[in-house]
Amino acid sequence: CMLYEAYQTFHNSNGSWTVDAISKFNLLSNAAKPADWSTSNAAGTPQFSLLVRYDEVASGHINHAISMTGYPTANRYVWPAVHSASSITAAPPMGTRFRLKANFDISHFSKSNQVILEALKTYGAILTDNGASWHLQGAPDPRWNNADLHALTQIPGSAFEAVDESSLMIDPSSDAAATPIPAGWVNIVNRYSGKCLDVTGGPGVTEADTRPGDAIQQWACNGGLSQRFQFLPVSSGWIGAPAQWKQSHGNGYVLVNAASGQGPTIPSASTSEGTYLVQWPYTIKMDEVWLPVSVGGGYYYLQSLLDGQVMDNPTSTGYNNGSKILQWPYWGGTNQQWKIVPVKQ
């Protein structure tokens, strides 16, 4: 489970090798290379995983983005790249993902080329190096029909669109990608207990479900409206939001409960560790806005815009129905991690 990639490598007449650089990747880790490190490409990303390979085309499906070169490139980079190799300002940065437009007609291409083009529509191409513009990169194989592949050069750059994938970045030092927040109603399930975020803990709507100030807790998932929430994005305008939070994390959300129309709030805007959450009609203040931060595997911690603490199911009561949810600094515990599960209608 280790990948080694060599750059500028030549086999000498005496049997030895001349190697300019070697990069090593642990395939059991999502760790990216340190900032401003190159690898076998200028973007500093693994190269082999982005190459088109004959066997996957023959299987009829490519399930990854494709490495692409371009010129000119910019003197900066965007995730997942960590390195650039240019002095030019006005050009696409390394790491830019380009996707073939959905309405581009691929029916007149060969079956093999259609497999590549479908991958470009689904996963796109990532700019990883300087070179010929729109040049897709593949692993050498004697079975390729190079004349057929050459037909791909007839596709104009205008058939592609640049994709802003910054919202998928969990951390600049990680190649792991976040799962987008589902639209519509969801259950928010605690990883530690397997129970649902809840207002009162019953499948039917009661007066307590809709009462401002009622405790936010967990309860065995039962399909009730008190366990259904919707993530509504807050794009701007929250009161007193520190600029560095929005710059680092992007837009936050208010969590609206289906039974009450209210959401989890930190009462009195308290920054004290262990403060229990309540539901309250939202006015888009910092104590009502939450930032879902992916930890991989479909789980998130839900971080308050107010003080950076997260929703925590205390381990002392963590398996109990009615365990009250509080805020606590994030330390990586499963009791602080939640899966966002769409509700089947």
Side-chain angles (χ1 to χ4, degrees):
C1 293
M2 302 296 293
L3 171 64
Y4 297 86
E5 296 184 346
Y7 171 71
Q8 291 280 52
T9 304
F10 303 97
H11 196 196
N12 301 316
S13 58
N14 64 0
S16 65
W17 291 84
T18 299
V19 181
D20 187 79
I22 288 181
S23 299
K24 181 174 69 173
F25 299 91
N26 182 350
L27 300 181
L28 300 179
S29 168
N30 287 317
K33 291 298 184 186
D36 300 319
W37 280 33
S38 64
T39 53
S40 55
N41 61 40
T45 63
Q47 183 69 6
F48 181 72
S49 54
L50 298 174
L51 297 181
V52 178
R53 297 185 286 281
Y54 181 87
D55 288 334
E56 57 187 2
V57 172
S59 75
H61 184 67
I62 298 174
N63 62 355
H64 59 82
I66 297 171
S67 177
M68 183 180 73
T69 64
Y71 183 83
T73 61
N75 59 351
R76 59 191 180 90
Y77 53 85
V78 294
W79 181 85
V82 297
H83 183 267
S84 62
S86 173
S87 59
I88 299 172
T89 302
M94 285 294 178
T96 303
R97 189 184 296 252
F98 293 92
R99 182 171 56 205
L100 187 63
K101 293 178 180 177
N103 62 0
F104 182 78
D105 182 13
I106 66 173
S107 62
H108 60 283
F109 288 89
S110 69
K111 294 297 183 183
S112 294
N113 281 344
Q114 286 185 34
V115 173
I116 298 172
L117 295 173
E118 286 291 353
L120 289 172
K121 287 188 174 187
T122 304
Y123 303 101
I126 297 178
L127 183 61
T128 61
D129 220 331
N130 294 308
S133 293
W134 307 105
H135 175 70
L136 304 177
Q137 297 184 303
D141 195 296
R143 296 171 291 178
W144 286 121
N145 181 334
N146 289 326
D148 184 43
L149 289 174
H150 190 71
L152 297 173
T153 66
Q154 304 307 308
I155 301 173
S158 59
F160 290 84
E161 55 192 354
V163 179
D164 179 3
E165 57 183 1
S166 58
S167 63
L168 300 180
M169 183 180 70
I170 297 172
D171 187 275
S173 63
S174 173
D175 287 333
T179 305
I181 300 298
W185 297 108
V186 299
N187 294 134
I188 303 173
V189 183
N190 188 256
R191 189 171 191 173
Y192 183 78
S193 66
K195 296 186 176 182
C196 283
L197 196 69
D198 185 277
V199 179
T200 61
V205 178
T206 69
E207 180 183 352
D209 289 326
T210 59
R211 187 170 55 214
D214 195 39
I216 300 296
Q217 59 186 21
Q218 71 163 8
W219 202 272
C221 300
N222 54 41
L225 293 179
S226 62
Q227 298 181 343
R228 296 186 183 187
F229 293 85
Q230 189 171 22
F231 282 76
L232 295 184
V234 180
S235 59
S236 62
W238 47 64
I239 299 173
Q244 66 269 25
W245 276 97
K246 188 173 182 183
Q247 181 179 4
S248 300
H249 297 278
N251 300 330
Y253 297 82
V254 290
L255 278 60
V256 179
N257 183 265
S260 65
Q262 302 170 52
T265 302
I266 303 169
S268 303
S270 173
T271 58
S272 298
E273 296 177 0
T275 300
Y276 289 104
L277 306 184
V278 300
Q279 71 167 358
W280 200 261
Y282 62 88
T283 54
I284 318 189
K285 294 181 180 179
M286 287 191 296
D287 53 359
E288 303 161 346
V289 178
W290 300 91
L291 304 162
V293 181
S294 176
V295 296
Y299 287 95
Y300 298 79
Y301 60 85
L302 300 174
Q303 189 168 42
S304 170
L305 188 69
L306 174 69
D307 55 16
Q309 298 187 66
V310 304
M311 289 191 192
D312 182 292
N313 173 31
T315 55
S316 58
T317 58
Y319 290 110
N320 299 341
N321 284 336
S323 178
K324 294 182 179 179
I325 307 304
L326 48 79
Q327 69 168 356
W328 198 264
Y330 183 68
W331 59 275
T334 56
N335 63 310
Q336 299 179 319
Q337 298 174 9
W338 307 81
K339 178 166 282 189
I340 301 170
V341 181
V343 173
K344 294 181 180 180
Q345 301 296 328

